[in-house]
Amino acid sequence: MASSRKPVIRHSAFHFPIPLRFSRMRRAIYPGSFDPVTNGHLDVIERARKLFDEVVVAVAHNDEKQPLFSLEQRLDLLRETVGQIDNVRIAEFSGLLVEFARDQAAGAVIRGLRAVSDFEFEFQMALMNRNLNAAVETIFLMPKEEYTYLSSRIVKEIARLGGNVSTFVPGCVAKALSGKFSQ
Ligand code: PNS
């Protein structure tokens, strides 16, 4: 039976970049570790896809961060939650975000901004990315108030300590977390 899954675009030396001059599409990259994806991320994806023709949810390899979920697991959880949405594509990337944005002919990077505490790091990253490639604009989107205190880190901690995370993450993520911590 043919799979209904959309293919994941891999960013590698053999990947063919999409030249910006040939693309009339307004495309944005939503990068992150997504370790794992939370309802806060989904809220940002939903807002971003209304503003752009295509949103590329880009999972960073981030090997140095020692994620709980492997790259494949993080991609699978995203495929399961947003993989079927028309103008949302899931990809992975390593190396500089601005290089990936250029290869994808994306003019914008989306980041979620939850609270003032996020601001300093996000500000630094946005300005550094602008310095590296002024053609890529960073756009901040605020998730619903109820998600402002939500983060992948806190969700993992609650799950590790046996708490219920089902209102913070999609069902498949809650299941994957309980699988991780019941081992
Ligand atoms: O979900 P996160 O962990 O906050 O995402 C951070 C991420 C992956 C967006 C950031 O670390 C990143 O862009 N990494 C790619 C490497 C890069 O371009 N670094 C320079 C940014 S100033």
Side-chain angles (χ1 to χ4, degrees):
M1 200 171 71
S3 165
S4 59
R5 278 181 176 178
K6 284 202 266 177
V8 167
I9 305 298
R10 291 180 195 276
H11 181 61
S12 74
F14 305 106
H15 171 76
F16 293 102
I18 305 162
L20 193 52
R21 64 185 180 282
F22 294 146
S23 173
R24 289 189 174 275
M25 211 182 229
R26 285 179 315 149
R27 182 179 288 115
I29 308 285
Y30 179 36
S33 304
F34 301 103
D35 183 39
V37 58
T38 68
N39 290 345
H41 294 126
L42 300 185
D43 183 280
V44 170
I45 292 170
E46 202 45 43
R47 288 170 200 280
R49 77 182 199 89
K50 289 180 188 147
L51 299 172
F52 289 89
D53 296 322
E54 185 177 59
V55 174
V56 181
V57 180
V59 184
H61 281 223
N62 261 358
D63 297 328
E64 69 286 356
K65 274 200 177 174
Q66 296 188 318
L68 175 67
F69 290 98
S70 70
L71 177 69
E72 266 319 311
Q73 288 170 329
R74 287 179 279 150
L75 287 165
D76 274 345
L77 292 171
L78 275 164
R79 285 189 198 111
E80 216 167 319
T81 49
V82 292
Q84 299 303 320
I85 301 176
D86 265 356
N87 63 336
V88 175
R89 180 153 58 84
I90 297 155
E92 58 179 275
F93 78 103
S94 56
L96 284 178
L97 174 61
V98 289
E99 294 290 321
F100 179 70
R102 192 178 52 192
D103 287 354
Q104 296 288 311
V109 164
I110 303 289
R111 292 287 289 171
L113 204 53
R114 292 164 299 189
V116 179
S117 51
D118 282 342
F119 184 76
E120 204 172 344
F121 173 68
E122 294 297 336
F123 187 63
Q124 187 183 22
M125 202 160 75
L127 290 186
M128 182 52 81
N129 282 334
R130 180 188 286 169
N131 189 282
L132 294 171
N133 183 351
V136 179
E137 203 63 64
T138 301
I139 296 178
F140 295 106
L141 295 178
M142 283 177 289
K144 259 192 203 148
E145 303 87 283
E146 63 200 79
Y147 299 136
T148 49
Y149 56 89
L150 188 55
S151 73
S152 298
R153 186 185 60 76
I154 278 186
V155 162
K156 283 182 281 192
E157 184 165 322
I158 296 169
R160 184 171 57 81
L161 298 172
N164 180 0
V165 294
S166 60
T167 55
F168 309 132
V169 291
C172 60
V173 174
K175 204 167 147 206
L177 281 166
S178 72
K180 282 273 178 202
F181 293 119
S182 64
Q183 279 163 14

